[in-house]
Amino acid sequence: MKLDHILHGGDYNPDQWIATPEIWDEDMRLMKQAGINAATVGIFSWSLLEPEEGKYEFGWLDAVFDKLYKNGQSVILATPSGARPPWMAQKYPEVLRVEETGIRNEYGVRHNHCLTSPVYREKVREINRRLAERYGKHPALLLWHVSNEYSGACHCELCQRAFRAWLKKEYRNDLNELNERWWNGFWSHRFTDWEQISSPKSRGENHVPALKLCWDRFVTDSHISFFENEIAPLRELTPDIPVTTNMMGFYDEINYQRFAGHVDVVSYDAYPPYDAADNKKTAAQFGFTYDAYRSMGGGGPFLLMESTPSVVNWRPVNKLPRPGRAAQAGLQAVAHGSDSVQYFQWRKSRGGHEKFHGAVVDHDGRGDHRVFLETAALGEKLKRLAPVAGSLCPAKVAVVYDWENARAVRHYNGLNNEYRDYLAECLKWYTPFFDRGFTVDVIGQEADLSPYALVIAPYLYMLLPGTAGRIRRYVENGGAFVATYLFGVADKDDRVFLGGLPGDGLREVFGVTARETDSLPEGVHGLMKYRGRTYRTARTCDILRSDGAAVLGVYTSDFYAGSPAVTVNRFGKGAAYTAAAGSEDEFTGHFCEDLIRKLKLKPEAGIETPPGVYARARGEYVFLMNFTDDRVSVKTGGGYLDLLSGGPAPETLALPVCGVAVLKKPDAPE
Ligand code: GAL
């Protein structure tokens, strides 16, 4: 999707204000005032679009489309499958979801639908077809927003049947192969009939990791096939209108890295807890997430589809972020590759579950509210950032965060059962690069590694077929690859590789064998020495044997004192590192610094910043963001153009709290 400006807007629910059309007019006035250029409509509008089965009412949406168009806003049109009208559940109970208890839900809430139900799929196709027929040619239509935050699973009989069909395909109709790959000799679980298999349940089978992995994969595929069903009429009638569906960070019940291949543009709903948690950690965590979304979409821009202009309503305590923070948070997404700052929501609803969720327009309905004024000020800035739209963020460093691995790590039993936070582990290795102004891609294990000088794969427990070969070739061809503990332990069905770890031929590449794994309870630490310094170890430590790798660090405590903890193996033209000890930030920081030096990596941002001030390069622009609690000065070295002021940026730039500057690089053509 190519944009020549940054989208600024969000979820707009005029259907909640259908009885007060004067509010619609006021919305138009206020949207202009706030610099809003895109409105997402119709997300939960089904009961108004089809109040009775087969009786459609589009008059209100026609009016909304026309008003927005005349007012200068593009429309992001949602399909309404995220919530359905009560009549549908009453007439066709099969559209409702069956939980893992086996009990069918009653009507209510949202996202409460069966993913397989032919009736529901047909109803969704039909309403989507009508939307496409009616609005496909409307000049305001910019993008399809399919459903809303797909999530969950259904365990009804239709879904069980579909799951068995999925398994038959996966295991080539061979139950023996399934039994072998699931290791069903254990506890006498060999199946003799496909009908004996059903979804994992707390009152049924929940101790077979391979079953759980297959169910996860099936659920992902069900969402994708539900999505493909939704978009069939959109593709047919509006082939030029791109399609997205909004995703939720690292929600792991759907493999987003797979799903991303089915959308035209990846979009993400971000709600960073700034000012309610450690801001530096939050900045790194959301930087990581944005980088994952950009990478998922193949490196092109993604869309920030939802964010809050003030508070959310779903945290235990919903602290107001300080003035200026929401704008800074939106600009952070842009710095990492978003071509939009979209909000949930334009106007606070008067009643219902989300009436205290932040919105651009509060219940007072006024344009002089603090939140409104800040949004409008951001709207002005985003206009000036139009040249940034579409620009890319090529990276030399990648961190592997892999959805399949996330699930595998969740399902196995043993070793350290108390602590196995895969995401935190990845973040720990990402942060030293984030802090130093590097652009980092966050990729799955099936991604192409060749663009990178350095790839770090923390806690990559599961190797899918092909991964080991890709790592081997990458290192052979000159890449630097860092693995940590519990690397290459299990295959796609969670069977442990035999003959020594890491498996699948990687011992040769890394020049080590992981002989044993020690697990330390929270608060208990061991010690290791690396380049003359002693560091604490924690949580999970692999005890290595070098089979030829150079030993860079050793354990210095416990019975395995003297065993390798950090190694490097020259292999082909590259280097394969193993950092086998569960480490703390201090070691990770120093180790990454050494890698940066050794590989002569240069931060793309090119401007050094004090701690808590982050620099990010995007195309020919550099974003500087102050997440500290003080005013700071940053030495730019001069020659930059300040895109927000339009003038030259001073050599020493002052950034207030929450301040963001966007500079054009000196060597970039005007
Ligand atoms: C999102 C959802 C929105 C709204 C928002 C509140 O997850 O898509 O509809 O509920 O959360 O933060």
Side-chain angles (χ1 to χ4, degrees):
M1 183 179 187
K2 271 209 158 33
L3 289 166
D4 59 4
H5 60 288
I6 306 284
L7 297 181
H8 186 219
D11 288 20
Y12 176 42
N13 302 305
D15 40 329
Q16 291 177 17
W17 303 91
I18 196 124
T20 46
E22 64 281 9
I23 294 229
W24 292 8
D25 292 330
E26 186 60 0
D27 285 333
M28 297 306 122
R29 189 182 73 79
L30 290 171
M31 277 187 196
K32 266 212 145 125
Q33 209 172 306
I36 297 295
N37 56 38
T40 311
V41 294
I43 298 185
F44 299 116
S45 299
W46 204 335
S47 65
L48 212 55
L49 292 169
E50 192 182 356
E52 286 172 36
E53 187 170 17
K55 182 171 170 273
Y56 298 94
E57 282 182 10
F58 291 111
W60 67 273
L61 191 52
D62 294 350
V64 168
F65 252 90
D66 292 344
K67 272 183 196 294
L68 286 168
Y69 182 56
K70 276 196 204 113
N71 208 46
Q73 281 87 35
S74 304
V75 173
I76 299 176
L77 182 56
T79 67
S81 69
R84 61 224 50 79
W87 62 255
M88 195 186 295
Q90 186 179 31
K91 181 156 181 203
Y92 308 103
E94 72 160 76
V95 303
L96 294 177
R97 193 165 282 187
V98 171
E99 295 296 342
E100 73 80 67
T101 53
I103 300 169
R104 193 176 295 281
N105 287 342
E106 294 189 12
Y107 179 78
V109 294
R110 52 182 175 171
H111 310 304
N112 181 11
H113 58 266
C114 171
L115 299 171
T116 309
S117 160
V119 173
Y120 195 52
R121 286 185 174 219
E122 189 200 313
K123 291 285 175 207
V124 168
R125 239 179 7 248
E126 189 53 35
I127 187 83
N128 292 3
R129 169 171 293 282
R130 286 177 189 258
L131 287 170
E133 277 167 357
R134 196 154 185 111
Y135 303 107
K137 299 242 158 14
H138 198 290
L141 181 62
L142 177 75
L143 172 70
W144 286 106
H145 176 297
V146 173
S147 199
N148 190 69
E149 295 186 341
Y150 282 132
S151 62
C154 173
H155 296 254
C156 75
E157 257 323 302
L158 292 170
C159 288
Q160 302 293 352
R161 255 187 262 153
F163 180 43
R164 286 178 205 121
W166 186 96
L167 289 171
K168 282 184 189 165
K169 200 162 161 226
E170 175 75 9
Y171 295 99
R172 294 173 299 171
N173 234 340
D174 184 346
L175 204 46
N176 285 335
E177 176 160 354
L178 178 146
N179 280 324
E180 167 61 24
R181 300 227 322 241
W182 289 16
W183 208 248
N184 280 341
F186 180 76
W187 287 350
S188 200
H189 283 194
R190 277 194 191 87
F191 297 115
T192 51
D193 184 341
W194 294 93
E195 293 298 308
Q196 293 158 354
I197 310 177
S198 65
S199 57
K201 299 194 182 76
S202 49
R203 66 194 168 87
E205 185 58 87
N206 55 54
H207 274 39
V208 177
L211 163 68
K212 294 193 205 174
L213 286 166
C214 282
W215 175 252
D216 291 339
R217 290 172 189 140
F218 163 74
V219 169
T220 291
D221 285 352
S222 301
H223 280 290
I224 292 173
S225 103
F226 189 90
F227 171 83
E228 290 291 348
N229 171 73
E230 282 224 35
I231 67 170
L234 315 183
R235 292 286 191 220
E236 181 194 324
L237 297 165
T238 61
D240 299 330
I241 303 292
V243 169
T244 191
T245 185
N246 50 339
M247 298 178 175
M248 301 177 280
F250 293 104
Y251 173 76
D252 71 357
E253 288 180 36
I254 299 176
N255 181 337
Y256 285 153
Q257 279 162 337
R258 284 213 54 216
F259 204 147
H262 295 258
V263 300
D264 297 320
V265 57
V266 171
S267 65
Y268 164 44
D269 300 342
Y271 292 96
Y274 283 122
D275 300 320
D278 179 328
N279 283 343
K280 291 175 195 152
K281 284 201 169 131
T282 304
Q285 186 190 332
F286 279 78
F288 181 78
T289 318
Y290 297 136
D291 289 347
Y293 275 76
R294 188 192 64 243
S295 307
M296 243 192 265
F302 65 96
L303 297 178
L304 175 65
M305 192 53 91
E306 288 181 22
S307 61
T308 178
S310 57
V311 279
V312 295
N313 68 334
W314 41 262
R315 293 206 164 96
V317 176
N318 295 292
K319 169 97 187 74
L320 279 178
R322 65 194 298 169
R325 186 68 77 199
Q328 183 189 37
L331 289 170
Q332 188 195 7
V334 176
H336 284 259
S338 173
D339 270 359
S340 68
V341 178
Q342 301 278 106
Y343 308 106
F344 177 85
Q345 51 190 334
W346 165 250
R347 180 184 281 275
K348 276 188 180 172
S349 50
R350 183 164 187 197
H353 185 66
E354 292 185 325
K355 60 183 170 295
F356 296 123
H357 194 290
V360 179
V361 181
D362 211 310
H363 290 130
D364 66 6
R366 297 177 59 96
D368 59 1
H369 191 287
R370 175 182 71 84
V371 172
F372 183 92
L373 293 173
E374 286 186 27
T375 308
L378 177 62
E380 272 309 306
K381 290 188 176 159
L382 292 175
K383 276 183 205 154
R384 282 178 230 155
L385 295 187
V388 175
S391 45
L392 305 177
C393 313
K396 283 273 155 243
V397 177
V399 171
V400 175
Y401 176 91
D402 181 76
W403 252 261
E404 287 286 332
N405 188 59
R407 278 124 48 131
V409 161
R410 175 149 59 84
H411 293 325
Y412 74 74
N413 179 47
L415 305 169
N416 193 336
N417 283 325
E418 237 177 45
Y419 181 89
R420 56 173 78 164
D421 192 336
Y422 174 49
L423 180 58
E425 217 29 53
C426 293
L427 258 173
K428 190 178 73 189
W429 286 92
Y430 166 85
T431 304
F433 297 93
F434 173 79
D435 286 346
R436 289 166 178 77
F438 280 94
T439 303
V440 181
D441 279 354
V442 176
I443 57 175
Q445 64 172 290
E446 290 174 297
D448 173 18
L449 305 181
S450 62
Y452 308 108
L454 172 65
V455 176
I456 304 181
Y459 195 1
L460 188 60
Y461 164 90
M462 169 179 280
L463 298 178
L464 295 172
T467 297
R470 261 191 306 279
I471 295 173
R472 170 186 279 267
R473 282 191 298 280
Y474 170 71
V475 178
E476 244 167 13
N477 291 331
F481 192 98
V482 179
T484 72
Y485 57 77
L486 292 177
F487 170 54
V489 174
D491 70 7
K492 187 178 176 194
D493 291 289
D494 200 28
R495 286 178 311 183
V496 174
F497 291 109
L498 299 180
L501 300 173
D504 216 5
L506 288 177
R507 281 172 51 220
E508 196 196 336
V509 180
F510 287 79
V512 291
T513 304
R515 310 297 310 271
E516 287 185 89
T517 300
D518 195 13
S519 304
L520 307 178
E522 285 307 285
V524 175
H525 298 279
L527 295 172
M528 69 168 171
K529 210 165 192 170
Y530 166 76
R531 300 194 59 184
R533 283 181 68 159
T534 296
Y535 297 89
R536 297 203 310 186
T537 63
R539 293 167 176 158
T540 299
C541 296
D542 275 353
I543 305 170
L544 302 179
R545 179 187 72 202
S546 168
D547 302 328
V551 177
L552 306 177
V554 294
Y555 292 103
T556 53
S557 66
D558 219 314
F559 73 89
Y560 44 94
S563 307
V566 187
T567 58
V568 62
N569 195 42
R570 301 276 148 213
F571 186 78
K573 290 189 242 154
Y577 292 84
T578 307
S583 56
E584 297 183 305
D585 295 345
E586 205 196 1
F587 167 77
T588 319
H590 289 161
F591 185 69
C592 290
E593 245 168 45
D594 288 344
L595 288 170
I596 291 168
R597 209 174 312 116
K598 201 164 273 162
L599 299 170
K600 300 193 175 60
L601 300 172
K602 295 261 170 307
E604 285 76 1
I607 296 178
E608 247 183 70
T609 53
V613 181
Y614 303 111
R616 205 97 327 235
R618 182 168 175 196
E620 50 192 30
Y621 307 96
V622 180
F623 287 66
L624 297 170
M625 298 164 276
N626 178 12
F627 283 95
T628 72
D629 293 331
D630 301 300
R631 190 180 177 80
V632 295
S633 334
V634 179
K635 285 204 171 55
T636 64
Y640 286 90
L641 181 80
D642 182 333
L643 210 56
L644 293 175
S645 74
E651 246 174 67
T652 302
L653 192 93
L655 277 181
V657 176
C658 295
V660 177
V662 184
L663 309 182
K664 190 166 175 188
K665 288 183 183 168
D667 52 354
E670 278 293 312

